[in-house]
Each structure stands twice: as structure tokens, then as C-alpha cells.
Amino acid sequence: MGKNLLAGFKWKHYVNYAGVGIFALVFTIMSLTTGLPSSTLYLLEKIAISVILAVSLSLVVGFLGELSLGHAGFMCIGAYIGGKLSAVLEGVLGNGVLTLILAIIVGGACAAIFGIVIGLPALRLKGDYLAIVTLAFGEIVKTIFRNTSNESFGGTLGLPTPRYDKKTLFIFAFLMVLACLAVTQNIIRSKHGRAITSIRDNEIAARAMGINVTKYKLMVFTVAAFFAGIAGVFYSYSQFNVQSDKFGYNYSIEILVMVVLGGMGSVNGSILAATLITYLNTKLATMLTGEMAVLQNLIYSLILVLIVIYNNAPGLKGFREKYNFGILMNKIIKKKPEHEHHEGDDSAQWHRIPTKIKMDEIISTDIVVKDYTKPDRANKGDKGDE
């Protein structure tokens, strides 16, 4: 029975959980024992936030097939509301785990509510029109928070927020990455996921088959907004001050780039692309200082162009197929291709199929050769009787 369970267990569905878990576990041990530099801890926080944003947006862009440019707006809502709540609760509950959990719940829930409010009218649009509406939503949210009073959300000076302990904040952030992966992949691999991908492939055919397109679009949009709000809460905890200018159009485009570079409809690709882009941005900002800072965007853009060329150039197709991640993993674990199997593993062998006749018995039949040149006696008798 145990072998049957393992045989039906699809390891590839849980590779990303193992990768994220091992990555977080290694740095957790290092942080709690030997200690890590503040720059490394901050980089880990940024990577976790970027992965949450990329995976949640991949659900909308990659699997639903809708172009959304307002993801930074939902993050902005979570950052401001969650940050404000944490600042208020700090004096009552302290800057501990309970305050963090409450801020995550409230910040994510508020972003999800705005996702429903914006999604109901906006998701009736398609393509470029939806992109324009979501882009406008992000700019409106940013402008509203910028023009608030200093007593409410800080206005132009920004919202002061409590900074969580650097040694442990990234641990909670990576736990939320695992939660985001679990929700996203369970949706994708369920009947709801098949309905969502059918809407992406052909919305008219999906409607004809009885799929409630509006319901599924709104569900995906709301889930993505919820996790974007949670990413905003973690951003507020990683800063001492939250400013609305961070959540502009360029940041929404950066999140979209993570999804596109990772591959449309690829959760693992979104994780890797978010990690790579965040690492590049952080390292370039650290290395290029002073007069060289103007080269940061130029070098970053060139690296992105090279990555796009590598992923799409026809001349590199053979190299990509030979050295892609799946082939390397198969070589590591020495997994045989699906079309190859041992004869002993064949479930259709004769000795495994119950039959009434044993296969070692000789089956004989009497063969009668009929001579059609002679008349049939039965026919003659019938004629004689007549």
C-alpha cells in the first residue's frame, strides 16, 4: 500500500516547496547561529516579497490570461493599512508576532476588498482596456495616500512604521511564500484551475460550456490582490517609513517583467525570475554609487534584454532544450523517460489479468470444409416435401 501511495505521488508538484523551504531553512540557521549581515537580511526580505508578488500576479496574467498593471496599487493598500495598524497596535500589543499576524490579515483583506470593488466593473473589459483601467487604479491609490493628512497616513512625508526584527522577519515572509504557493497551485490543479485556463484559451468556448467566467475572473483577481496586500504589509515592516512613490507604474511593470521572464503560466519560473531580478537590482544599487549610479538602469535593462534573447532566440533552441532545468533534474535523479518501462512493471501482463481460460491450455476447434459444388441435402429434402 505504501508503494502504491508513493507511485501516485507526483514529486514534481512539490519541488518548489522543497526549494523554497531548504533556501529559507539554510539562511534561518545561519541567521540564528552565526548571524548574517544586515544587507543580506534585507535582500532576503525583498526576495520573499518579490516572489509573493510575482506568483500572485502569475495567477492573473499567466493562467487567467488578463493583463493587469495595478498590482503595485494593491500592494500600496496593504502597506499603508497594515503599516498603520501595526503602528497603532505597537503601543498595546508590542511589536511582536501577534501584531504582525493581525496586520497581515487586515492588510490582505483590505486589498482583497478593493480587488472585488475594482474587479467587478474592470473585468468586463479585455486586453489593453483592462490594462489601462488597472494602471489608472494604481495611480489613483498612490495619489490618494500621498494627499492624506500627516495624522492619518503621513501624506507626502510618508507613514512611519515599526521595523520588525531583521533576524526573523524574512522567516515569516518565506512562510507566507509557501502559503502563497499552496493556494495558487491548489487552485491551478483543481477543477477551478481547469476552468480558469479554459477562459484564457477561449473565453467564448468557456461560456458556451457553462463556465461562469465573471465568477472565476473575480476570484482570481481577488486572490491575487489579497497576496499583493500581504506583500505590502511585509514591505511596511521592512521599512521605517512607507512612501507612496514606491508603488508607481514602474514597480507594476517590474512585477510583470518577473512573470513574463519566468514564463507565462509557470509558477517555478516566476519564483526564479523574481529572485534573479531582485538580486540584480539590489546588487547593482550597492555596487554602482555616486556618479556610476546613472548606469544602474542601463545595465539592468541590458541584462533583461539578454535574458529575453536567450529565452526566445531560435538559434539557441537546441542549447535550451539540451540544458534546461528539467533535463538536468532527470540526470541528477536518473529518472527514466515516461515511454520507457521495465517488462516486470507492465500492469497488463497476462498473469495479472483474471481470465476464465488458462493461457497454457490448448484451445482446439473442429474445422469442416464444405463443398459448395454439391447441392445441400437439407434443401433437397425441403423441395421433395413440397
Side-chain angles (χ1 to χ4, degrees):
M1 183 177 178
K3 291 183 178 179
N4 293 334
L5 290 175
L6 290 176
F9 189 80
K10 295 183 179 180
W11 295 99
K12 64 180 181 179
H13 291 170
Y14 302 92
V15 171
N16 46 21
Y17 293 100
V20 173
I22 293 171
F23 181 85
L25 181 62
V26 169
F27 282 100
T28 299
I29 295 173
M30 294 174 63
S31 175
L32 298 178
T33 56
T34 60
L36 290 172
S38 297
S39 58
T40 303
L41 294 172
Y42 182 60
L43 175 60
L44 291 172
E45 294 169 2
K46 291 182 67 176
I47 288 175
I49 292 169
S50 297
V51 170
I52 294 172
L53 290 169
V55 171
S56 58
L57 184 61
S58 178
L59 193 60
V60 177
V61 178
F63 293 97
L64 183 62
E66 298 291 350
L67 182 59
S68 174
L69 297 178
H71 218 51
F74 297 116
M75 183 183 177
C76 182
I77 293 172
Y80 269 94
I81 295 180
K84 183 66 176 180
L85 180 64
S86 63
V88 172
L89 293 178
E90 185 183 17
V92 180
L93 300 175
N95 190 16
V97 178
L98 181 59
T99 303
L100 174 62
I101 294 174
L102 291 175
I104 288 172
I105 294 173
V106 174
C110 290
I113 291 171
F114 275 92
I116 296 173
V117 172
I118 299 301
L120 281 172
L123 290 175
R124 298 180 184 275
L125 305 173
K126 298 179 182 178
D128 299 337
Y129 298 103
L130 178 62
I132 292 171
V133 170
T134 52
L135 173 63
F137 163 74
E139 293 299 312
I140 290 170
V141 169
K142 184 183 74 171
T143 304
I144 289 174
F145 280 113
R146 182 194 301 160
N147 291 280
T148 54
S149 62
N150 294 335
E151 293 76 18
S152 57
F153 291 100
T156 56
L157 298 177
L159 175 68
T161 56
R163 179 64 163 96
Y164 202 82
D165 185 9
K166 290 183 179 180
K167 292 183 178 180
T168 55
L169 180 61
F170 78 92
I171 301 174
F172 294 106
F174 275 103
L175 288 175
M176 191 52 60
V177 169
L178 293 174
C180 182
L181 284 176
V183 172
T184 302
Q185 295 190 148
N186 283 329
I187 290 175
I188 294 168
R189 292 170 186 153
S190 65
K191 64 178 182 179
H192 305 294
R194 291 189 289 274
I196 291 166
T197 52
S198 69
I199 295 171
R200 176 194 65 188
D201 296 337
N202 194 319
E203 185 175 331
I204 296 175
R207 288 184 185 275
M209 294 300 293
I211 295 174
N212 192 335
V213 174
T214 304
K215 166 191 162 185
Y216 281 109
K217 282 186 174 183
L218 191 61
M219 180 187 76
V220 170
F221 207 67
T222 304
V223 172
F226 175 74
F227 282 107
I230 291 176
V233 174
F234 278 107
Y235 175 80
S236 70
Y237 265 105
S238 67
Q239 307 289 324
F240 292 101
N241 188 274
V242 177
Q243 300 218 347
S244 59
D245 291 338
K246 166 67 179 178
F247 311 100
Y249 166 77
N250 289 331
Y251 195 59
S252 290
I253 293 296
E254 184 177 328
I255 303 169
L256 181 63
V257 167
M258 296 174 187
V259 177
V260 174
L261 283 184
M264 303 292 282
S266 173
V267 175
N268 296 341
S270 298
I271 295 172
L272 294 174
T275 304
L276 176 62
I277 290 176
T278 305
Y279 179 81
L280 285 175
N281 269 333
T282 306
K283 289 299 178 183
L284 287 174
T286 304
M287 295 169 59
L288 300 176
T289 57
E291 296 180 354
M292 299 292 290
V294 295
L295 298 176
Q296 178 184 348
N297 291 334
L298 176 62
I299 297 175
Y300 172 69
S301 301
L302 287 175
I303 292 173
L304 291 183
V305 169
L306 291 175
I307 294 173
V308 171
I309 292 174
Y310 172 78
N311 288 334
N312 298 278
L316 298 174
K317 183 178 180 181
F319 181 83
R320 291 195 303 269
E321 292 178 350
K322 186 176 180 181
Y323 296 102
N324 65 59
F325 183 75
I327 296 294
L328 294 177
M329 286 299 297
N330 286 337
K331 288 182 179 179
I332 293 172
I333 63 178
K334 295 181 180 180
K335 180 181 178 182
K336 294 191 175 183
E338 294 181 359
H339 63 273
E340 292 184 6
H341 59 275
H342 293 290
E343 185 178 353
D345 296 332
D346 189 0
S347 59
Q349 289 184 6
W350 283 110
H351 71 276
R352 297 189 180 185
I353 300 176
T355 56
K356 293 182 179 180
I357 302 174
K358 294 182 180 181
M359 297 312 299
D360 56 353
E361 291 184 353
I362 299 175
I363 303 174
S364 62
T365 57
D366 295 330
I367 302 175
V368 179
V369 181
K370 187 175 181 180
D371 188 358
Y372 290 94
T373 59
K374 297 180 181 180
D376 193 349
R377 293 181 181 179
N379 292 337
K380 278 186 177 182
D382 295 339
K383 291 181 180 178
D385 293 337
E386 291 175 359

